[in-house]
């Protein structure tokens, strides 16, 4: 057997630094090129020279592609899917260190001269020599590197289990890569007779606070959804304010009622979702004038465990009606005080109601044209495209104003949990025994709270709870799509086992070297062989 390329801790470390050095911010040219470079690198493995069709690139959008690499044992059908992403977030926070933020060794050394920019805990880790710093080190190119080494070893040793490596772009924004990969997973299963037994992700173990040194594994992943609102008032001159109603006035009541509302907090298996929070609130007036702002928009982050999109929309509508009732009551009192008639009560509409009203008023061609125009506006992201559709429909149906239009904007990550699955329970037992021998404080967590691509496998909603999402997401279909039906075909439990790191998406993003290059590769290898070795 020839020497393996990525098997020793030193080789794995070198591989990671090479991958980190390939710039791959979401939507960048580097992200487009990353999978191409990776395909070239992995094609040098003799196995893929002999089985070229087992190593493939599949396009998604914007010139990007995801990569799959299959090791198939001739006598096996059971398959473990190894999931990772290779895109990273932006790097502006590094400031003058930005040119070396993807050079871990150089950056780690340079930070010793910039300790004033680090927290006390980060300085402690820097001085310990146990961590390496850099964008993409812990989130999450180490996961990809570990999977590459694992795949290479499985091939060399002819493990009696199939391994399918899947690494994707765009996890950090819309998960376009994983949503596209779902169909490929279904097709590969049918083409090669693969029976998926485990979806194993490699997001790093996130510390829960600066002093937390526990090692976490995750038997599920939290869900995330973005209920959003378009506020539509009536414009007027500032000299005659009560002849109209600003969208900001309506939004103020709404935001106060929505943000941190415990109605959206969910508890399952002893864990709680964070409270909802506003991600954006702004009026849509583009220039200054003495005309009041009549339109505004807001995005809200809501985490989920057991609830469906329908459950969230029902609660969102309840909150909207409560907020609008207060708004109307105070507005009516003001009108009475000023002895004016006012412009009427604010109403609440779901997007599906607005769209139905517009189709009845103008016909399908008009509404379809609005959708098409939104999708052609490349300068807008998926969220602004969604608001564009709702805004254009309201602009032509102003008899419905003042109003709050409730909608969903991308992305949507369904929650997945496999804590009760017998295979996962066995996996936790195996990992617990191994980490105890390594003197590592292991803590299983039911829901990974960093949001990850495991959301798009093992979908279990049997009550069509997603239909509320389809009907109320303005760019659903051509602009944004979740393959719910195919996701339901990917019936296997999920697990996340990754290296230990800290401060993802921050200047101080760092990776524990011993965990990354020594411990975690051993844990993942022994886990798979312990579960599926014959």
């Amino acid at each position: 057997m020839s020497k393996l390329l990525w098997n020793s801790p030193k080789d794995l470390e070198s591989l990671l630094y090479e991958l980190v050095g390939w710039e791959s911010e979401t939507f960048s040219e580097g992200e487009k090129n990353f999978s191409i470079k990776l395909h070239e690198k992995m094609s040098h493995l003799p196995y893929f020279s002999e089985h070229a069709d087992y190593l493939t690139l599949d396009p998604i959008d914007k010139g990007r592609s995801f990569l799959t690499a299959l090791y198939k044992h001739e006598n096996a059908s059971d398959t473990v899917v190894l999931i990772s992403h290779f895109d990273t977030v932006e790097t502006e926070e590094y400031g003058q260190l930005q040119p070396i933020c993807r050079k871990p060794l150089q950056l780690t050394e340079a930070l010793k001269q910039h300790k004033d920019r680090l927290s006390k805990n980060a300085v402690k880790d820097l001085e310990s020599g146990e961590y390496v710093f850099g964008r993409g080190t812990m989130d999450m190119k180490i996961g990809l590197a570990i999977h590459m080494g694992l795949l290479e070893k499985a091939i060399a040793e002819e493990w009696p289990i199939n391994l399918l490596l899947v690494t994707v772009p765009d996890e950090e924004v819309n998960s376009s890569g994983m949503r596209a990969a779902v169909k490929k997973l279904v097709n590969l299963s049918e083409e090669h007779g693969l029976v998926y037994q485990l979806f194993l992700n490699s997001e790093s173990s996130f510390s829960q606070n600066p002093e937390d040194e526990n090692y976490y594994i995750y038997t599920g992943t939290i869900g995330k959804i973005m209920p959003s609102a378009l506020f539509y008032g009536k414009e007027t001159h500032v000299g005659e304010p009560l002849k109209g109603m600003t969208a900001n006035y309506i939004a103020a009541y709404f935001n106060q009622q929505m943000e941190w509302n415990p109605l959206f907090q969910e508890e399952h298996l002893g864990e709680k979702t964070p409270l909802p929070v506003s991600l954006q609130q702004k009026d849509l007036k583009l220039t200054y004038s003495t005309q009041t702002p009549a339109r505004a928009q807001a995005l809200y982050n809501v985490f989920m465990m057991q609830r469906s999109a329908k459950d969230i929309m029902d609660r969102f509508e309840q909150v909207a009606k409560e907020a609008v009732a207060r708004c109307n009551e105070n507005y009516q009192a003001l009108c009475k005080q000023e002895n004016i008639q006012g412009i009427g009560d604010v109403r609440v509409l779901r997007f599906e109601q607005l769209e139905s009203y517009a189709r009845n008023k103008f016909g399908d061609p008009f509404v379809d044209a609005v959708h098409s125009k939104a999708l052609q506006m490349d300068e807008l992201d998926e969220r602004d495209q969604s608001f564009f559709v709702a805004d254009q429909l309201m602009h032509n149906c102003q008899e419905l104003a003042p109003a709050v239009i409730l909608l969903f904007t991308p992305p949507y990550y369904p929650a997945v949990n496999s804590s009760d699955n017998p295979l996962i329970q066995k996996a936790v037992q195996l990992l617990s025994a191994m980490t105890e021998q390594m003197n590592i404080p292991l803590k299983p967590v039911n829901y990974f709270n960093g949001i990850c691509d495991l959301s798009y496998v093992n979908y279990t909603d049997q009550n069509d709870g997603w239909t509320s999402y389809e009907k109320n997401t303005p760019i659903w279909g051509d602009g944004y799509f979740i393959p719910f039906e195919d996701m339901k075909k990917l019936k296997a439990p999920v697990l996340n086992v990754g290296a230990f790191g800290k401060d993802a998406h921050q200047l101080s993003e760092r990776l524990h070297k011993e965990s990354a290059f020594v411990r975690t590769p051993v844990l993942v290898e022994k886990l798979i062989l312990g579960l599926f070795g014959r």
Side-chain angles (χ1 to χ4, degrees), residues 89-357:
V89 296
E90 62 280 355
T91 60
E92 284 79 4
E93 70 273 16
Y94 286 93
Q96 67 190 94
L97 296 175
Q98 190 173 14
I100 60 171
C101 69
R102 300 182 194 90
K103 299 178 180 179
L105 294 178
Q106 192 174 342
L107 175 66
T108 303
E109 186 63 28
L111 282 171
K112 295 176 181 178
Q113 307 303 318
H114 297 272
K115 293 179 182 178
D116 58 317
R117 298 190 62 192
L118 301 176
S119 67
K120 290 182 179 179
N121 185 261
V123 171
K124 177 183 175 183
D125 289 343
L126 176 67
E127 293 176 342
S128 73
E130 296 176 359
Y131 288 81
V132 64
F133 290 66
R135 175 62 78 239
T137 50
M138 67 88 70
D139 185 17
M140 65 169 295
K141 290 180 180 178
I142 182 56
L144 171 58
I146 289 173
H147 285 176
M148 289 170 66
L150 195 72
L151 186 69
E152 181 190 28
K153 191 169 186 181
I155 292 169
E157 297 180 355
E158 298 183 350
W159 290 5
I161 177 76
N162 304 321
L163 295 183
L164 175 58
L165 183 151
V166 180
T167 190
V168 301
D170 192 18
E171 187 268 357
E172 298 290 1
V173 179
N174 291 316
S175 277
S176 299
M178 190 61 199
R179 288 186 287 114
V182 167
K183 185 66 174 178
K184 180 68 178 286
L185 285 170
V186 172
N187 290 342
L188 285 174
S189 173
E190 296 171 350
E191 179 182 353
H192 296 286
L194 307 179
V195 179
Y196 298 135
Q197 297 293 338
L198 176 65
F199 293 102
L200 182 62
N201 201 11
S202 54
E203 290 277 6
S204 292
S205 172
F206 279 54
S207 57
Q208 301 299 300
N209 61 67
E211 303 299 326
D212 183 11
E213 300 295 332
N214 290 303
Y215 178 66
Y216 296 94
I217 59 171
Y218 307 89
T219 56
T221 186
I222 202 167
K224 166 196 162 75
I225 197 167
M226 283 211 299
S228 305
L230 173 69
F231 307 101
Y232 221 94
K234 179 175 174 54
E235 69 282 349
T236 185
H237 189 282
V238 293
E240 300 177 303
L242 295 180
K243 284 191 174 181
M245 180 184 293
T246 68
N248 297 338
Y249 179 79
I250 308 170
Y253 286 92
F254 195 98
N255 195 62
Q256 188 178 57
Q257 193 76 13
M258 179 64 192
E259 195 153 17
W260 301 340
N261 191 326
L263 180 66
F264 293 90
Q265 191 165 51
E266 192 176 352
E267 183 173 358
H268 186 235
L269 300 174
E271 297 171 15
K272 282 186 177 181
T273 59
L275 292 166
V277 67
S278 170
L279 285 177
Q280 181 190 81
Q281 183 175 336
K282 64 180 181 181
D283 68 58
L284 302 180
K285 186 179 175 184
L286 299 179
T287 59
Y288 170 81
S289 73
T290 54
Q291 184 186 63
T292 59
R295 297 138 54 236
Q297 67 185 46
L299 306 173
Y300 299 95
N301 189 93
V302 173
F303 286 114
M304 311 150 65
M305 288 178 173
Q306 297 291 291
R307 292 173 183 158
S308 68
K310 179 183 182 303
D311 297 327
I312 300 303
M313 180 54 77
D314 289 345
R315 284 169 168 76
F316 195 47
E317 185 176 50
Q318 176 185 336
V319 167
K321 289 180 177 179
E322 292 170 356
V324 164
R326 290 179 55 236
C327 177
N328 287 334
E329 181 181 355
N330 291 343
Y331 178 69
Q332 289 166 4
L334 178 64
C335 290
K336 183 177 181 181
Q337 173 186 311
E338 298 294 324
N339 195 29
I340 61 170
Q341 185 174 352
I343 65 168
D345 286 344
V346 180
R347 71 179 78 197
V348 174
L349 294 170
R350 297 189 182 196
F351 174 78
E352 61 182 300
Q353 294 172 305
L354 169 62
E355 184 175 49
S356 176
Y357 182 92

Side-chain angles (χ1 to χ4, degrees), residues 435-447:
T435 52
E436 185 176 357
Q437 291 178 352
M438 297 178 179
N439 196 30
I440 300 173
L442 178 72
K443 285 197 174 183
V445 175
N446 295 295
Y447 290 94

Side-chain angles (χ1 to χ4, degrees), residues 338-528:
E338 298 294 324
N339 195 29
I340 61 170
Q341 185 174 352
I343 65 168
D345 286 344
V346 180
R347 71 179 78 197
V348 174
L349 294 170
R350 297 189 182 196
F351 174 78
E352 61 182 300
Q353 294 172 305
L354 169 62
E355 184 175 49
S356 176
Y357 182 92
R359 288 188 184 278
N360 288 333
K361 180 179 180 180
F362 296 107
D364 291 341
F366 171 81
V367 175
D368 292 342
V370 171
H371 282 271
S372 296
K373 184 177 180 180
L375 298 178
Q376 293 168 8
M377 301 177 73
D378 292 336
E379 70 276 15
L380 303 182
D381 67 13
E382 286 84 350
R383 286 147 293 282
D384 286 332
Q385 286 177 340
S386 299
F387 278 113
F388 177 86
V389 173
D391 184 40
Q392 287 297 300
L393 296 185
M394 271 301 297
H395 182 73
N396 287 279
C397 300
Q398 293 193 36
E399 64 272 19
L400 298 177
V404 178
I405 310 302
L406 308 180
L407 59 145
F408 287 123
T409 55
Y412 172 30
Y413 292 80
V416 180
N417 185 264
S418 301
S419 300
D420 294 333
N421 183 276
L423 180 73
I424 297 303
Q425 292 176 343
K426 182 179 179 182
V428 171
Q429 292 173 356
L430 288 171
L431 290 166
S432 296
M434 287 187 281
T435 52
E436 185 176 357
Q437 291 178 352
M438 297 178 179
N439 196 30
I440 300 173
L442 178 72
K443 285 197 174 183
V445 175
N446 295 295
Y447 290 94
F448 176 71
N449 62 1
I451 309 171
C452 76
D453 282 333
L454 287 176
S455 284
Y456 301 107
V457 298
N458 202 27
Y459 188 72
T460 57
D461 182 7
Q462 301 298 324
N463 300 316
D464 293 344
W466 72 74
T467 56
S468 180
Y469 192 82
E470 295 177 355
K471 292 178 180 178
N472 290 290
T473 301
I475 61 169
W476 179 262
D478 293 333
Y480 183 76
F481 180 72
I482 298 175
F484 290 114
E485 290 295 344
D486 281 332
M487 284 157 52
K488 290 168 70 173
K489 297 176 183 178
L490 301 177
K491 293 294 185 185
V494 303
L495 182 66
N496 190 100
V497 181
F500 182 79
K502 297 180 181 179
D503 293 353
H505 299 187
Q506 299 181 43
L507 163 71
S508 51
E509 177 181 349
R510 59 198 183 277
L511 180 69
H512 190 274
K513 293 187 288 187
E514 179 79 8
S515 174
F517 307 130
V518 179
R519 297 172 181 171
T520 306
V522 172
L523 288 176
V524 177
E525 175 185 340
K526 290 188 175 180
L527 172 65
I528 292 176

